[in-house]
Amino acid sequence: MEKYPFSYNHSQPFIQQVSEWIADVFYDILPEAGFEVRDEQIYMAFQLERAFAEKQTIFAEAGVGTGKTLVYLLYAICYARYTRKPAIIACADESLIEQLVKPEGDIAKLAKHLSLAIDARLGKSPDQYVCLVKLDEARLGHEEVGLYKDLYEGLPEFVHSYDALQSFHAYGDRKQYPNMNDEQWYNVSWDVFQDCFVCDKRHRCGQTLSRDHYRKSTELIICSHDFYMEHVWTYEGRKREGQLPLLPDHCTVVFDEGHLLESAAQKALTYKLKHVVFEELITRLLKGEVRETLAVLIDEAIEQSETMFDLLERQSIAIPGSDRKQIILNEQLLNEILQFQKLLAAIEEELVFESEMYTLNEYQLRIVEEHLEMMQKALNLFHQSETLICWVTESVNGLSLVIMPRTVKEVLSERVFNSGIPIIFSSATLSVEGSFDYVVDSLGIEKYLSFSVDSPYDYEHQMKVVAPKWSYGGTFSEKMKTAVRLLERTEGRALILFPTKDELQRFKKEISHYPECAALRFLFEGDQEISGLISSFQHDELSVLCAVSLWEGLDIPGPSLSNVIIWALPFPPQDPVFMAKRQAAASPFEEVDLPYMLLRLKQGMGRLIRSREDSGIIAILSEDLEPIRHHIEGVLPPGVHLVDTLD
């Protein structure tokens, strides 16, 4: 196979030749295969040429239907072949990844119509894989034992056998278990408190084997934003521990739905502490021959950890609509944290002496030292409260303390945007009311290119947007009755987007009381694996999909999606992360709440029209729209007007 899909002239700039070939693809090759010529797509291609040639960051805002994915894929493939390093395509979530890699997805289209052999591999997040340790606990537990026993018995034979000369392959990812709901999956999937470094099953683990596979890609590695940021955050630590980074050295990064990168970065930069995990880890040292001074310190640290977590539980209050509890910081709590840190520091000093005596297992010692260093970094943030965001969550085995830095700009600037490679932000919604400032400021980007192109669709004739007026202020009952009428009007064929899981669950409970919808099939996010749920919705035309996370990434052209019901305006939640953002803003509503909502609303509305033949209704069931009506009208496509009724 030729290295490049065009005749490469070494005397001419490579990226310029790529751009010329891509123009031929969009003007001639794809139209001959039945694709339409899209001027917006070709304009985007010429804009990306500069970003790749100058190795710059670019915000590529292109409306629905412009074919932006095909543009960045072609550049990424050619650039990967040129640099002999893979390109990373980082998507906002698993549903977006599925749009790229499914049999009828964009990568398959390029491979077929351009006769390209594309080496594209998935790098899924660890929580998308079965954890063998948690599976053992689940199948020997007290709930749904049969389900987990069947899962265990269906694992590849090499998981159970330790024979020589076996062949291994990746297994156990979330997609292979489409009928498990999210709660069932959580009981067997990897989580941050699993200590993989000392796990005796790690060499037969599905996520470990998948990593061996995707790292060998020569062209494209497709992962989530979360996974890419986890790679960035753990890069130095994994090298210190003698491990390979999560992702190999790469030539470029494309952030699809790049406006969501900040939340992924914050999630990756989060520290999570738990008493039971600390106790289990630190007591490993007592299994060796240790001096009495170290043993006493370990006992004191365990006792202080218990005291600190007990106080955290008393000092936390529930946040309505969230599983996170807000921590009330006071002098007593800060003193207990400081006492715990002093004990950790004393243990670290003692470990220096122990390491010189070679009485402890060197590998175990290194793991403990890394964990103590992480804990100290996390707890130090409590003494710089202006940089701290923290909360606690409850679980069956105790409280979890979650700590994150208030901003991620410094890390992103140093490790991502100053890496000297082209970085592409691609989305239909990167700007707010004509400005990129909201996304740019949140990520701390100083130098960038940008452009915007509108969708080629005739929204004026394809889309109607209604925001009903309420007689009683938009009560839940009023919304239910309005939603039912809308579902009757389109005979299902609807996506209902909820701002929170609680509201989705309440709708799920109440809809059974409406006989008008008895013939409709309702699909609820969380009941199945997400890509299987989307496929069911697409192939059952009269169904209704109810979701919390599908404001982006859902691409269902045709009559199966003719009605998008937005249950409430998607303002950011009342949780510690956004509380901190609001506290730091001079005008919280204008700087934080409003731009977040407008971006998400525009994305949600973008689920409706996915082809020139599509048409349908968008209903915004907001309780009080009037104060911000002009902002809502500002994000509607040209020619589309906000009306009070469809009649």
Side-chain angles (χ1 to χ4, degrees):
M1 184 188 73
E2 294 290 334
K3 183 175 181 181
Y4 306 118
F6 55 86
S7 297
Y8 174 41
N9 183 346
H10 290 267
S11 66
Q12 298 294 323
F14 176 76
I15 293 299
Q16 179 183 326
Q17 294 178 68
V18 173
S19 183
E20 291 170 355
W21 171 70
I22 290 175
D24 290 339
V25 168
F26 293 139
Y27 273 127
D28 300 320
I29 301 174
L30 290 183
E32 288 177 6
F35 290 73
E36 64 177 291
V37 176
R38 298 173 179 173
D39 292 336
E40 299 88 356
Q41 194 174 43
I42 295 162
Y43 176 80
M44 176 177 175
F46 285 117
Q47 295 297 313
L48 289 195
E49 177 185 355
R50 182 182 171 191
F52 276 91
E54 300 177 6
K55 299 180 181 178
Q56 289 206 51
T57 296
I58 188 168
F59 286 87
E61 183 177 56
V64 176
T66 53
K68 53 186 172 292
T69 306
L70 298 183
V71 179
Y72 73 61
L73 283 175
L74 290 175
Y75 272 106
I77 292 165
C78 291
Y79 199 61
R81 293 183 180 186
Y82 179 68
T83 60
R84 299 184 181 182
K85 298 177 184 178
I88 305 296
I89 312 296
C91 301
D93 55 37
E94 301 298 327
S95 61
L96 274 165
I97 290 173
E98 185 64 20
Q99 297 296 337
L100 282 176
V101 302
K102 63 185 180 181
E104 67 276 20
D106 291 317
I107 292 174
K109 288 177 185 175
L110 290 179
K112 176 182 177 181
H113 296 294
L114 301 180
S115 300
L116 284 175
I118 302 172
D119 184 10
R121 310 190 187 192
L122 292 184
K124 289 196 170 186
S125 299
D127 61 6
Q128 293 294 306
Y129 288 92
V130 169
C131 170
L132 297 176
V133 172
K134 287 180 71 175
L135 176 57
D136 281 345
E137 295 171 356
R139 69 188 179 89
L140 300 174
H142 302 289
E143 296 181 7
E144 301 185 276
V145 173
L147 171 70
Y148 301 123
K149 181 181 178 183
D150 291 343
L151 194 161
Y152 177 80
E153 292 176 350
L155 296 176
E157 185 59 35
F158 62 74
V159 177
H160 314 298
S161 170
Y162 286 78
D163 296 339
L165 301 177
Q166 293 186 89
S167 61
F168 301 89
H169 59 82
Y171 68 92
D173 83 60
R174 176 72 172 99
K175 193 176 177 182
Q176 294 172 347
Y177 309 101
N179 295 322
M180 291 180 70
N181 63 39
D182 287 356
E183 186 176 343
Q184 292 167 335
W185 175 251
Y186 176 77
N187 290 333
V188 294
S189 65
W190 180 90
D191 64 59
V192 70
F193 294 113
Q194 301 308 308
D195 195 348
C196 301
F197 301 134
V198 295
C199 178
D200 60 357
K201 304 175 187 291
R202 66 185 181 277
H203 298 304
R204 284 171 164 70
C205 170
Q207 66 160 299
T208 302
L209 296 172
S210 76
R211 199 167 295 157
D212 292 340
H213 173 71
Y214 72 68
R215 287 186 59 86
K216 296 173 184 175
S217 173
T218 57
E219 291 178 351
L220 302 178
I221 297 176
I222 301 158
C223 65
S224 66
H225 289 181
D226 289 352
F227 191 58
Y228 186 80
M229 293 313 306
E230 186 72 15
H231 158 74
V232 170
W233 184 233
T234 61
Y235 183 85
E236 295 297 336
R238 292 182 69 87
K239 285 178 66 177
R240 284 197 303 270
E241 294 162 4
Q243 300 184 77
L244 290 172
L246 292 178
L247 291 167
D249 192 19
H250 43 276
C251 64
T252 185
V253 185
V254 177
F255 292 113
D256 201 336
E257 303 298 358
H259 62 288
L260 298 174
L261 182 63
E262 184 195 15
S263 61
Q266 285 181 314
K267 182 178 177 182
L269 296 174
T270 294
Y271 301 97
K272 294 184 179 180
L273 310 184
K274 206 166 192 171
H275 170 71
V276 293
V277 174
F278 168 70
E279 183 176 15
E280 192 278 331
L281 188 82
I282 200 72
T283 51
R284 289 179 191 170
L285 298 177
L286 298 177
K287 296 176 182 177
E289 296 181 12
V290 298
R291 290 172 299 141
E292 184 179 355
T293 51
L294 176 57
V296 170
L297 283 171
I298 289 173
D299 286 340
E300 290 178 353
I302 292 172
E303 185 177 340
Q304 182 62 26
S305 174
E306 284 183 315
T307 300
M308 184 182 74
F309 273 92
D310 286 344
L311 185 55
L312 279 168
E313 188 164 16
R314 296 196 301 272
Q315 289 289 114
S316 61
I317 57 174
I319 301 172
S322 173
D323 61 351
R324 298 172 176 179
K325 300 178 75 172
Q326 183 182 3
I327 298 172
I328 307 301
L329 295 177
N330 61 14
E331 188 173 347
Q332 181 187 4
L333 178 57
L334 293 176
N335 285 336
E336 295 294 350
I337 291 170
L338 184 59
Q339 286 300 114
F340 185 49
Q341 285 187 274
K342 289 179 178 178
L343 288 169
L344 295 182
I347 291 173
E348 288 176 306
E349 290 181 10
E350 289 292 323
L351 291 180
V352 174
F353 294 108
E354 294 288 348
S355 64
E356 294 171 352
M357 297 172 63
Y358 300 101
T359 56
L360 296 176
N361 178 282
E362 184 179 355
Y363 182 72
Q364 291 277 12
L365 179 61
R366 191 166 74 244
I367 297 302
V368 172
E369 286 176 332
E370 284 284 338
H371 194 82
L372 294 181
E373 182 182 350
M374 178 275 290
M375 294 180 71
Q376 289 282 36
K377 286 180 180 178
L379 295 173
N380 276 336
L381 290 174
F382 276 100
H383 309 298
Q384 309 163 40
S385 57
E386 70 282 356
T387 67
L388 169 75
I389 301 174
C390 62
W391 65 88
V392 294
T393 58
E394 295 178 332
S395 64
V396 292
N397 60 349
L399 212 63
S400 297
L401 170 61
V402 185
I403 307 166
M404 67 163 58
R406 188 178 291 268
T407 66
V408 295
K409 296 178 182 180
E410 294 80 6
V411 174
L412 289 173
S413 177
E414 177 187 348
R415 304 188 192 179
V416 180
F417 301 121
N418 287 326
S419 55
I421 62 175
I423 295 175
I424 315 302
F425 285 83
S426 173
S427 177
T429 54
L430 289 170
S431 65
V432 179
E433 299 180 328
S435 171
F436 291 92
D437 289 350
Y438 176 71
V439 176
V440 169
D441 292 345
S442 69
L443 299 174
I445 299 173
E446 297 178 357
K447 184 182 179 183
Y448 65 94
L449 306 172
S450 66
F451 69 90
S452 296
V453 291
D454 290 332
S455 170
Y457 296 148
D458 183 7
Y459 285 102
E460 183 176 358
H461 297 99
Q462 291 180 263
M463 174 191 289
K464 295 183 185 298
V465 183
V466 59
K469 285 192 176 295
W470 308 109
S471 300
Y472 302 99
T475 63
F476 191 87
S477 176
E478 275 189 295
K479 287 188 176 185
M480 286 296 300
K481 291 173 182 176
T482 301
V484 167
R485 286 197 298 272
L486 288 163
L487 294 175
E488 285 185 282
R489 184 184 183 114
T490 55
E491 297 179 298
R493 300 183 176 91
L495 168 69
I496 309 180
L497 291 170
F498 295 88
T500 67
K501 292 180 181 178
D502 287 347
E503 288 178 283
L504 182 148
Q505 290 300 322
R506 187 175 177 187
F507 177 90
K508 182 179 181 180
K509 181 180 179 181
E510 294 294 328
I511 194 63
S512 61
H513 302 310
Y514 289 83
E516 305 95 313
C517 296
L520 300 179
R521 180 188 180 196
F522 284 85
L523 303 165
F524 295 95
E525 183 179 356
D527 286 355
Q528 299 177 46
E529 188 270 332
I530 193 68
S531 63
L533 200 69
I534 292 171
S535 179
S536 296
F537 173 60
Q538 184 168 14
H539 293 100
D540 184 353
E541 188 177 314
L542 304 185
S543 62
V544 179
L545 177 57
C546 303
V548 175
S549 69
L550 294 178
W551 297 79
E552 298 91 4
L554 186 68
D555 185 15
I556 309 289
S560 289
L561 209 175
S562 303
N563 184 356
V564 174
I565 300 173
I566 294 171
W567 193 258
L569 290 176
F571 283 105
Q574 294 295 325
D575 73 1
V577 175
F578 283 97
M579 288 176 182
K581 280 177 170 285
R582 294 181 186 105
Q583 289 172 2
S587 302
F589 182 77
E590 289 76 12
E591 295 177 30
V592 179
D593 293 342
L594 185 63
Y596 176 96
M597 183 277 290
L598 292 175
L599 278 177
R600 202 152 175 79
L601 176 64
K602 193 174 178 182
Q603 278 286 349
M605 293 191 299
R607 300 312 98 210
L608 181 65
I609 306 299
R610 309 301 296 181
S611 74
R612 292 191 188 276
E613 291 72 38
D614 286 352
S615 63
I617 306 164
I618 290 174
I620 303 173
L621 309 186
S622 174
E623 292 87 346
D624 186 13
L625 198 70
E626 286 309 311
I628 55 171
R629 189 182 184 96
H630 63 290
H631 290 291
I632 305 299
E633 291 172 337
V635 299
L636 298 180
V640 177
H641 303 285
L642 191 61
V643 298
D644 299 330
T645 176
L646 294 172
D647 298 327

